[in-house]
Amino acid sequence: MTLLISNIPCWLIPVLVGVISAILGYFLGRLLGGGEKLTETTANVDVYKNRISKLEADLEACKANKKSTFTGGNSSIATPEVSSLATAPTGVAFDKAAAKAAFGKNIKQDDLTVVEGIGPKIKELFHNHEVTTWAGLADCSIEKCQEVLKSGGKRFEIHKPGTWPEQAKLAASGQWQKLKEWQDNLDGGK
């Protein structure tokens, strides 16, 4: 037995130990997963929990509205109440041509991404909080905007919504040229 061990070169044992350790480390790392993925998954879970609780509240409100809509055994339907998601009356109809003339691209009515600093993900956060129109965003306080951003997690808290309600007010009132000129001077919505 000692003859067999003495024939192995002395450098081969550390190399074998290193290779075996590397393989074990690789498989343990794959098995236990990375910490960054876990944090991202936890943030996504929180967003989905918020969505679920909001949807459950909407469902309960809908059920309550459905019960109050029907009168006794009679199946006549009462006048439905105006949804909070409807466009608030601004006295100005949406002029797609004027918006395109100012921005040089097609603008969809009540597209919150027209506001400098709001992208598709932030727009989704506002939609989750029932802010789906320019008029709705114009009625939001800056504190409400910050709450909406906080609901999305750490990566959204860095945004500064200080001008968003005012920008939305200009969009809702159809003041496209004034909005475009203002946005040209803004830096990411600030």
Side-chain angles (χ1 to χ4, degrees), residues 112-162:
L112 298 181
T113 60
V114 168
V115 173
E116 177 82 17
I118 295 182
K121 295 289 186 178
I122 294 176
K123 176 179 114 175
E124 184 179 328
L125 287 176
F126 276 100
H127 282 198
N128 291 340
H129 286 84
E130 295 185 16
V131 179
T132 60
T133 64
W134 294 318
L137 181 57
D139 290 338
C140 283
S141 66
I142 295 172
E143 291 78 22
K144 167 75 173 172
C145 292
Q146 289 171 335
E147 286 177 29
V148 170
L149 291 172
K150 282 183 183 179
S151 74
K154 292 281 185 199
R155 68 182 186 176
F156 293 105
E157 290 180 17
I158 63 170
H159 296 279
K160 305 292 182 206

Side-chain angles (χ1 to χ4, degrees), residues 1-7:
M1 184 77 174
T2 52
L3 184 61
L4 181 65
I5 294 176
S6 64
N7 288 337

Side-chain angles (χ1 to χ4, degrees), residues 9-77:
C10 61
W11 59 269
L12 186 61
I13 293 174
V15 169
L16 287 175
V17 169
V19 168
I20 292 170
S21 297
I23 292 171
L24 284 174
Y26 172 77
F27 284 118
L28 281 174
R30 295 285 292 183
L31 180 67
L32 299 176
E36 190 170 310
K37 286 183 179 180
L38 182 63
T39 306
E40 184 178 315
T41 304
T42 304
N44 287 341
V45 168
D46 291 339
V47 169
Y48 288 120
K49 283 182 180 179
N50 289 339
R51 280 188 190 169
I52 290 170
S53 63
K54 183 190 168 327
L55 288 172
E56 287 173 344
D58 288 347
L59 178 62
E60 291 302 317
C62 184
K63 285 179 181 179
N65 190 21
K66 181 179 177 183
K67 287 179 183 176
S68 67
T69 302
F70 291 100
T71 56
N74 189 352
S75 63
S76 64
I77 299 176

